[in-house]
Amino acid sequence: MLSRWPVGQGDPDAPPGPDMVWAFPLIGAGHGLIAGATGAVALWLGLTPFAAAVLALAALAASTGMLHEDGLADCADGFHGGHTPERRLAIMKDSRLGTYGALTLMLATLLKLAALAALPLQAWIPALMLAGAGSRAAILWPMARMDQARPGGLSAGFGLPSGRSIAVAFALAGAVAILMGGRAGLPMLAIGCLATLPVQIRARRLIGGQTGDVLGAAQQWAEIAILLTAALLWG
């Protein structure tokens, strides 16, 4: 669901249950560990911070399959390319990438590169693990509080997680935040959650609720916010 790593031979016709969301922060932390270790090794070998950041993001993209980046681009195209909710949703479902989506992906990637390049070697793994866990927990907020904009979409098919699963997810995200960020960890997690608000507000106004693409865009905003905060605090 959130990874390109093989994790067993499940039934391909049976969608994952919504109560698996408790594991989202752990999956995100794993992605962050892979990316952070890649960047840290590149820095240790003598590459420039920018080159190391590019390699770290490449490792992250390979690990995640860029599911959330796709959602970010689709939202940018749909929100800005359509004039009615129906037309916006149709554009978001289209697999082709438009100008709005391409530019948004470019700017999002540049923000991540700039944040990572500003970090010292010892902060790469903590920052990326915290961003990975925190941003995956942050998407549970719009998932739980927003109506479905497309009844037949991926998010609607996934279903609504229970309050217990969401609580466990945030507890795990908080634990990762404290372990990786110390006293700054929980405030950084809160910043990531708050960064999803602009996505939620625009999605509710423009398409009437959330979709899988909206959740992906929310994750990307949260990840960027946490990495930029890490750059400010630890850079």
Side-chain angles (χ1 to χ4, degrees), residues 9-15:
Q9 301 296 323
D11 184 355
D13 296 323

Side-chain angles (χ1 to χ4, degrees), residues 208-231:
Q210 56 98 345
T211 66
D213 286 333
V214 171
L215 299 181
Q219 186 276 331
Q220 287 290 290
W221 275 105
E223 185 173 77
I224 291 168
I226 293 173
L227 289 175
L228 288 175
T229 305

